[in-house]
Amino acid sequence: SNGNRIVTASDDKTAKIWDAQSGQCLVTLQGHSESVTSCAFSSKGNRIVTASDDKTAKVWDAHSGKCLITLPNIPGLFIQGCDFRNMHPDSDLSEESIQIMRQYGGIFNDEDERRWNELMEKHFGVEEGS
């Protein structure tokens, strides 16, 4: 969000965080089993979301590089991209919204992490850090 870091996606199954001034690689995000096709910083710059040809999306701590949550590989899922979006903390996703999300991409919000984790557990049986 402040322009000090850049995140890139790569065919080598990683995403990398770079210092925008020096060009030095600060952190390598490893955990996908196929090419990483898309990535984005959260608005506060403390989270990164990645999407991969392995049919998963992951949310990472942008400082430590630790994977915080994985949207699981679901048969028929094809993630075309990823981004952070604002969701009202008290909103609930309809089944139709979950299907759209599963079909077209991962939508995450660092201010709504608690709610996202609840939705993942409810709909996919996935707990934070899986």
Side-chain angles (χ1 to χ4, degrees):
S1 61
N2 62 12
N4 291 332
R5 296 177 296 159
I6 298 167
V7 62
T8 59
S10 177
D11 283 339
D12 71 359
K13 306 174 189 174
T14 69
K16 293 183 184 284
I17 304 168
W18 306 85
D19 182 285
Q21 298 292 324
S22 69
Q24 177 183 3
C25 180
L26 303 173
V27 179
T28 298
L29 307 176
Q30 297 179 314
H32 285 291
S33 60
E34 297 290 335
S35 298
V36 177
T37 57
S38 183
C39 54
F41 274 104
S42 64
S43 59
K44 291 183 178 179
N46 61 338
R47 299 283 187 263
I48 292 173
V49 61
T50 57
S52 171
D53 283 341
D54 67 9
K55 301 180 182 174
T56 67
K58 294 180 182 284
V59 178
W60 309 82
D61 181 284
H63 301 288
S64 70
K66 178 183 176 191
C67 181
L68 302 174
I69 192 168
T70 298
L71 178 68
N73 180 341
I74 298 168
L77 177 69
F78 179 70
I79 298 176
Q80 295 176 322
C82 58
D83 200 357
F84 281 84
R85 303 283 180 191
N86 290 324
M87 270 189 347
H88 190 276
D90 296 326
S91 68
D92 194 7
L93 294 179
S94 66
E95 287 301 320
E96 179 182 9
S97 295
I98 291 288
Q99 292 298 325
I100 290 169
M101 208 171 81
R102 288 171 57 190
Q103 183 176 0
Y104 295 109
I107 301 174
F108 303 94
N109 180 311
D110 57 353
E111 288 86 12
D112 196 30
E113 190 170 353
R114 177 196 59 78
R115 184 73 183 124
W116 177 253
N117 290 334
E118 287 176 4
L119 289 169
M120 290 294 292
E121 176 66 24
K122 175 181 173 184
H123 292 283
F124 303 114
V126 174
E127 295 181 24
E128 182 178 1
S130 323

